[in-house]
Amino acid sequence: MAAVFKNPLIRWIDHRLPVFSYLQHEANDYPTPKNLSYWWNFGSIAGFMLMIMIATGIFLAMQYTPHVDHAFNSVERIMRDVNYGWMLRYLHMNGASMFFIAVYIHIFRGIYYGSFKAPRELLWIIGVVILLLMMATAFMGYVLPWGQMSFWGATVITNLFSALPVVGGKIVTLLWGGFAVDNPTLNRFFSLHYLLPFVILGVVVVHVIALHRFGSNNPTGIDMKGSQDSIPFHPYYTVKDMYGLGVFMLFYAFWVFFAPVALGDPDNFIPANPLSTPEHIVPEWYFLPFYAILRSIPDKLTGVLAMGASIAVLFILPWLDRSPVRSGAYRPAFKRFFWTLVFVCAILMFAGKYAPANYWLPFEFTIVPPEALSEAAHLESVDALWPVTFAGGHFGIQVIFLGQLATVYYFGFFLVILPLLSIFERTLPLPLSISKAVLEHHGGGAVQSSPAAAKEKA
Amino acid sequence: MKKRSILLNGLAVLGGLVAILFIAAEPHEHLPGDPKEIVIPREEWSFNGVFGKFDQAQVKRGFQVYKDVCSACHSMDLVSYRNLTQIGFSEDEVKNIAASVQVTDGPNDAGEMFERAGKPSDAFKAPFPNEQAARAANNGALPPDMSLLARSRAGKGFTGYEGADYIHAILTGYKDAPADFKLGDGMNYNEYFHGHQIAMPQPLTDGAVTFADGAPNALEDESRDVAAFLTWAGEPNLESRHLTGLKAMLFLVVFTLLFYAAKRKIWARIH
Amino acid sequence: MADHAQSAQGAGGTRRDFLYLMSASAAAFGGVAVAWPFISSMNPSGDVLALSSIEVDISGVQLGQAITVKWRGKPVFIRHRTPEEIAAAKKSDPEVDPANPKVIIANPAGLRDPQTDASRVQKAEWLILVGVCTHLGCVPLGQKPSDPRGEYGGWYCPCHGSQYDTSGRIRKGPAPLDLEVPVYAFETDTTVKIG
């Protein structure tokens, strides 16, 4: 339905640059499945967080100095002297965490409901590109305050590239602009940290264009078959998105105003000192699962490759899971493996947090260094301890071992379980359409089912 | 079919259990119950909690402790004299405090650096001109700058102890070393410091500072007061943060309720 | 889709519209409330404001000498005027209405921006001016004994030739206004607080 605008100015502009009809079509009238659950809110929440990060970032950049001698103090000046500077800073640093929370939930939703399956493979791949850009942006952003964790985190992660054969060392020197992380590194990280969010913005636009080609997936995984299955995006999903945003903002505001540094590391309040390494170098929480995968393989190069593979495997997900049933709601076996994956990722996160040699004592709710156990068991050295041990009457699993088991499951899920499920899984009968599924859910009509419908190949 | 679903359910449940137990586990240096474990005692502070505020009188006394004792070795580069108006000093008092120190300024027209009385806009005067001088005067150890000491010494995570807890513990934790403890040259035994050896000799004792308001000045009081002052110095905008947070949360609750009602109204058409 | 639009206009209109109005207003209010701190952060920060006034010790400035101090990023000229300079300034004074000193009755010297010398100083021998030419912002010469002072014995701006007299008033050249007199106060006879 072509829109006719009443306002003559708008008609004049729209005739020459059809932004208004475009918005009317893509945001107002746009047919959306009528059964989207709240799991579908996280895309718009992530988009909103991107806007907040860009806005706070631009205003912070007005006051920040990207030089090793001034960076730390310029951030403290923002916290103390700049009007509302403390708020801008806390919004920005906690906004990064919120952004990742929203994106991780958004990704898990995509995996569960098969949103990555045909014809949305490219939409999914563009999304993984956004994730990669976010990770690069966040990594560089954390270096900018030039605290101890900023400096040493940058040193450890950039040093990883030296594992690459032949060119590794040269790449690291190129990244650093010198022989160690120093002023040239900080300056270029600032430049790139300012640039990448706008690249993300562009890729997000492409992401939405790809989405609008076939429209949103929905909890049943069945395509919309007609207007009885859809509702216009506005006002239904605009108002639902605003409500979801309100809830998310409450969560965000709690961190910003009442626990602003709880997600970070106190060591970053110490100015960077290249001559003194902190006891534990820990990345921010959203990198911990990847950090755990990296550390679960003792060999440096293989560890780096495993870390890269953990994201690379996401790119090929549409070709690993070939089940003709899209949504996990109708795939009971997949559902169990999926939730196990969620738990395994949580385990990976905490495995990345603690020192790998430490032991988790499940029945005592503690994690202790190996020396504590070897002492209790009167052993000569920690080398006598096995990855799973009952030394001195304490049942312990080494953190690195737990991380390795979790890594095996992570890769096993994508590379083994999903392909096998595609062949052997017995799925539940699918509803005939979205409307029928909605009616059934709300207690009307008998269940009509069809065998697993062939997915649309565009 | 049954066997498979039990297996799969079991797998998910196991994963969940392991995850929950692992997340709930707390890192310690020693086994639970080991007396060697250093546990930082948690104190009650006026600035704790969602409605926390600084006790101005306490922070002022803490400033006096800093000025009379700590500033001999510890700088506080990020705090300026003008910031003291936030803790209850008048503009004139601040001018006097600043003027009581001599700061280096310059160069003058002859090209020389010179000394002049401090101004409110100056940062707190550092006891040493640079790190090397500080180390030389302290047996090679560097007394850390105190501007962010309370923030950097806090326990990690949501349930970690406050930096003030740690500072209070250290200041009151000086004891004679146990008989079997090997104390390094020039080091001091401290119950709460990591490794139990700290380069700083006990800085505070009962009655070391006499407070203008006549408040108690036992070691316990002095160390609490200076810990509160250092918390303020680390985050002077804490009260502002709490107040703005309250307003933001109230607004957001109203906002969310309004949009929830609007959402239900609009969606009623098709439910 | 058309029926959705129609039902939206149907029964229960006012209360529903009120709810939507409230929600939209809340969103708009939230947007403005959030925007304010961003804009406010661009205003001068605490450390900049702290340097917004300075105290200057003028005890070392001899008769006939001048010093320049930096205030709010700009030069401030402090000249210890000789009796001759004061007299020369007064000679070119415009005539003002004694009842209302802001009203100029006569301007025999043809001052572009007529002001009496007395209105530009608190103590006649101390002339304190912001040393920024009111034309396009250059710093006029005349502080050092070796500097050119122009025909009127005050200051000469090398950029476009503006000339100021011993009261800092514009006499010749493209500048439209007299040199600005900053807010200042004598704390003691030998210290003046500017700003």
Side-chain angles (χ1 to χ4, degrees):
Chain A
M1 169 173 91
V4 176
F5 297 104
K6 292 197 214 102
N7 187 309
L9 176 64
I10 294 191
R11 274 206 306 272
W12 188 92
I13 297 175
D14 199 66
H15 181 61
R16 291 154 177 75
L17 178 69
V19 269
F20 296 103
S21 351
Y22 181 78
L23 278 173
Q24 178 80 358
H25 180 252
E26 296 294 331
N28 263 11
D29 309 330
Y30 179 65
T32 322
K34 63 181 180 185
N35 62 333
L36 296 186
S37 67
Y38 282 100
W39 294 112
W40 264 258
N41 276 49
F42 288 92
S44 66
I45 288 174
F48 182 75
M49 286 317 300
L50 177 62
M51 297 305 143
I52 293 196
M53 293 305 281
I54 289 179
T56 52
I58 289 175
F59 281 85
L60 284 170
M62 291 184 189
Q63 314 274 3
Y64 169 76
T65 305
H67 187 282
V68 293
D69 295 334
H70 301 291
F72 188 88
N73 286 359
S74 73
V75 171
E76 276 302 310
R77 186 183 149 264
I78 290 171
M79 296 290 288
R80 293 157 189 271
D81 280 324
V82 173
N83 301 330
Y84 294 102
W86 57 269
M87 196 164 96
L88 289 175
R89 202 264 176 112
Y90 287 147
L91 280 171
H92 200 73
M93 68 194 255
N94 288 287
S97 289
M98 298 300 116
F99 198 2
F100 274 99
I101 289 177
V103 164
Y104 283 152
I105 295 177
H106 185 70
I107 292 174
F108 275 116
R109 183 273 314 226
I111 297 176
Y112 184 82
Y113 288 107
S115 308
F116 57 87
K117 289 175 188 278
R120 297 184 181 87
E121 302 97 321
L122 206 53
L123 170 66
W124 170 262
I125 289 174
I126 294 168
V128 182
V129 169
I130 295 175
L131 174 67
L132 272 174
L133 289 171
M134 277 176 63
M135 292 171 74
T137 309
F139 168 69
M140 292 189 294
Y142 193 66
V143 179
L144 301 182
W146 208 241
Q148 274 286 66
M149 272 311 163
S150 306
F151 176 86
W152 288 100
T155 301
V156 165
I157 298 301
T158 47
N159 258 321
L160 287 177
F161 289 95
S162 66
L164 296 169
V166 184
V167 290
K170 294 198 182 71
I171 290 183
V172 176
T173 308
L174 184 71
L175 274 177
W176 285 343
F179 306 109
V181 170
D182 203 345
N183 200 47
T185 325
L186 177 62
N187 248 300
R188 65 191 54 179
F189 276 9
F190 178 63
S191 168
L192 294 173
H193 183 74
Y194 205 123
L195 168 71
L196 281 186
F198 295 100
V199 176
I200 292 176
L201 190 59
V203 181
V204 165
V205 169
V206 174
H207 190 67
V208 174
I209 293 175
L211 170 70
H212 280 210
R213 174 65 181 90
F214 295 107
S216 293
N217 189 15
N218 69 84
T220 66
I222 299 171
D223 295 326
M224 294 186 279
K225 291 187 171 65
S227 63
Q228 76 280 9
D229 289 336
S230 77
I231 44 178
F233 189 83
H234 178 71
Y236 293 95
Y237 288 109
T238 41
V239 76
K240 192 173 181 184
D241 277 348
M242 289 298 274
Y243 166 54
L245 200 64
V247 177
F248 194 78
M249 290 294 110
L250 275 166
F251 181 66
Y252 181 26
F254 166 74
W255 292 104
V256 167
F257 293 105
F258 300 110
V261 297
L263 293 168
D265 196 311
D267 275 346
N268 227 27
F269 281 111
I270 303 172
N273 184 352
L275 301 176
S276 158
T277 314
E279 219 178 301
H280 299 292
I281 301 176
V282 190
E284 287 291 276
W285 69 267
Y286 37 80
F287 287 138
L288 289 174
F290 304 102
Y291 198 51
I293 293 175
L294 170 78
R295 294 197 300 189
S296 61
I297 301 182
D299 177 59
K300 191 169 168 187
L301 177 61
T302 326
V304 173
L305 293 176
M307 189 173 72
S310 66
I311 305 197
V313 81
L314 292 175
F315 276 106
I316 59 171
L317 178 60
W319 294 275
L320 294 169
D321 182 352
R322 292 171 179 274
S323 167
V325 175
R326 218 180 247 150
S327 165
Y330 302 101
R331 305 175 61 191
F334 168 85
K335 222 191 263 194
R336 271 63 174 179
F337 285 116
F338 170 83
W339 283 106
T340 311
L341 176 72
V342 172
F343 298 135
V344 160
C345 287
I347 292 170
L348 276 173
M349 194 188 320
F350 281 79
K353 187 171 162 190
Y354 304 121
N358 284 10
Y359 278 86
W360 172 43
L361 310 177
F363 301 113
E364 293 161 84
F365 299 98
T366 46
I367 294 161
V368 294
E371 289 79 17
L373 277 183
S374 63
E375 259 177 55
H378 307 294
L379 293 169
E380 263 187 33
S381 83
V382 299
D383 300 323
L385 290 168
W386 284 23
V388 180
T389 182
F390 203 66
H394 303 275
F395 173 65
I397 305 173
Q398 214 170 19
V399 167
I400 188 172
F401 184 64
L402 193 60
Q404 286 161 340
L405 291 176
T407 304
V408 166
Y409 183 86
Y410 179 90
F411 284 106
F413 175 85
F414 289 105
L415 297 172
V416 176
I417 295 174
L418 287 184
L420 286 179
L421 279 179
S422 314
I423 306 168
F424 295 112
E425 184 181 27
R426 201 175 316 185
T427 59
L428 295 177
L430 294 172
L432 283 170
S433 73
I434 294 176
S435 306
K436 299 260 177 355
V438 169
L439 274 173
E440 170 199 322
H441 185 257
H442 284 259
V447 176
Q448 309 270 335
S449 57
S450 71
K455 58 188 193 300
E456 176 186 337
K457 286 209 196 296
Chain B
M1 182 61 194
K2 259 258 165 175
K3 253 184 263 168
R4 190 162 18 156
S5 73
I6 291 176
L7 197 66
L8 292 182
N9 281 334
L11 180 67
V13 166
L14 179 68
L17 219 69
V18 170
I20 292 174
L21 286 175
F22 191 36
I23 292 169
E26 264 182 46
H28 287 114
E29 290 291 311
H30 298 93
L31 290 167
D34 191 328
K36 283 194 296 235
E37 180 78 12
I38 296 178
V39 178
I40 304 288
R42 310 286 197 104
E43 303 267 310
E44 270 183 39
W45 302 99
S46 67
F47 45 81
N48 269 354
V50 160
F51 299 110
K53 279 202 211 334
F54 288 117
D55 176 352
Q56 270 204 356
Q58 180 180 45
V59 177
K60 265 174 109 162
R61 292 195 299 271
F63 169 64
Q64 192 179 343
V65 175
Y66 168 76
K67 191 159 77 80
D68 292 348
V69 181
C70 321
S71 61
C73 298
H74 289 275
S75 58
M76 196 182 272
D77 297 335
L78 298 173
V79 182
S80 302
Y81 294 106
R82 59 182 164 88
N83 297 131
L84 292 171
T85 55
Q86 287 175 36
I87 58 174
F89 287 104
S90 70
E91 298 267 359
D92 282 327
E93 286 174 311
V94 168
K95 251 198 241 177
N96 287 335
I97 294 170
S100 70
V101 299
Q102 290 284 305
V103 300
T104 313
D105 200 355
N108 57 19
D109 290 332
E112 292 153 3
M113 306 301 280
F114 58 91
E115 300 279 297
R116 60 156 174 81
K119 293 189 282 207
S121 58
D122 290 326
F124 278 13
K125 180 180 173 172
F128 304 105
N130 50 58
E131 181 185 327
Q132 290 80 349
R135 285 188 185 274
N138 287 287
N139 254 340
L142 177 65
D145 181 276
M146 289 190 146
S147 315
L148 291 166
L149 196 65
R151 303 202 90 172
S152 66
R153 301 306 194 253
K156 294 193 198 219
F158 197 61
T159 49
Y161 50 81
E162 295 284 333
D165 293 323
Y166 180 82
I167 290 168
H168 171 261
I170 296 290
L171 290 172
T172 54
Y174 284 89
K175 307 252 176 321
D176 290 324
D180 56 350
F181 190 89
K182 266 181 302 203
L183 200 57
D185 250 352
M187 300 299 267
N188 308 274
Y189 185 85
N190 188 294
E191 213 180 313
Y192 297 105
F193 192 71
H194 186 62
H196 292 297
Q197 300 197 56
I198 187 170
M200 172 173 75
Q202 182 167 356
L204 293 176
T205 48
D206 291 330
V209 180
T210 317
F211 294 120
D213 63 358
N217 60 355
L219 172 63
E220 173 69 19
D221 308 295
E222 291 165 341
S223 57
R224 277 185 60 87
D225 292 345
V226 78
F229 169 70
L230 290 177
T231 305
W232 170 82
E235 197 191 2
N237 288 315
L238 179 143
E239 290 178 355
S240 206
R241 165 164 69 82
H242 284 164
L243 188 63
T244 313
L246 198 61
K247 292 191 230 169
M249 294 295 247
L250 282 172
F251 167 77
L252 283 171
V253 167
V254 170
F255 175 95
T256 305
L257 286 174
L258 277 174
F259 272 98
Y260 179 63
K263 183 257 175 194
R264 289 292 295 256
K265 257 243 142 71
I266 290 181
W267 279 77
R269 300 177 205 166
I270 58 167
H271 278 331
Chain C
M1 259 184 305
D3 38 26
H4 289 300
Q6 270 169 13
S7 64
Q9 302 305 317
T14 30
R15 211 171 74 194
R16 172 186 54 224
D17 289 339
F18 175 70
L19 176 61
Y20 301 157
L21 184 66
M22 286 298 290
S23 306
S25 313
F29 174 77
V32 172
V34 165
W36 169 241
F38 285 82
I39 299 178
S40 173
S41 77
M42 291 175 71
N43 265 333
S45 54
D47 55 335
V48 169
L49 290 172
L51 295 173
S52 62
S53 54
I54 58 167
E55 277 174 27
V56 188
D57 177 8
I58 52 176
S59 57
V61 186
Q62 312 288 346
L63 200 65
Q65 265 195 330
I67 60 168
T68 310
V69 295
K70 193 159 129 177
W71 171 71
R72 294 189 182 175
K74 293 179 280 214
V76 168
F77 297 157
I78 301 178
R79 193 184 272 191
H80 194 171
R81 296 195 294 183
T82 61
E84 294 80 25
E85 287 172 331
I86 299 173
K90 283 195 185 317
K91 230 166 81 165
S92 306
D93 268 354
E95 223 183 290
V96 291
D97 179 355
N100 187 356
K102 288 212 203 294
V103 175
I104 311 282
I105 299 177
N107 185 2
L111 298 174
R112 187 175 302 154
D113 178 11
Q115 288 184 307
T116 61
D117 181 67
S119 69
R120 292 172 59 76
V121 289
Q122 290 175 24
K123 296 189 186 185
E125 55 178 345
W126 292 105
L127 181 63
I128 301 178
L129 305 169
V130 178
V132 174
C133 182
T134 57
H135 179 225
L136 291 175
C138 296
V139 179
L141 302 170
Q143 289 291 91
K144 295 205 277 285
S146 53
D147 277 348
R149 290 190 176 191
E151 292 163 28
Y152 299 87
W155 287 267
Y156 171 76
C157 187
C159 290
H160 307 99
S162 296
Q163 299 185 28
Y164 299 86
D165 64 14
T166 50
S167 185
R169 293 174 297 206
I170 182 66
R171 302 302 292 268
K172 215 177 185 180
L177 298 171
D178 302 334
L179 289 177
E180 185 193 333
V181 178
V183 167
Y184 68 89
F186 281 90
E187 309 252 287
T188 67
D189 281 340
T190 52
T191 49
V192 57
K193 176 172 154 173
I194 305 179

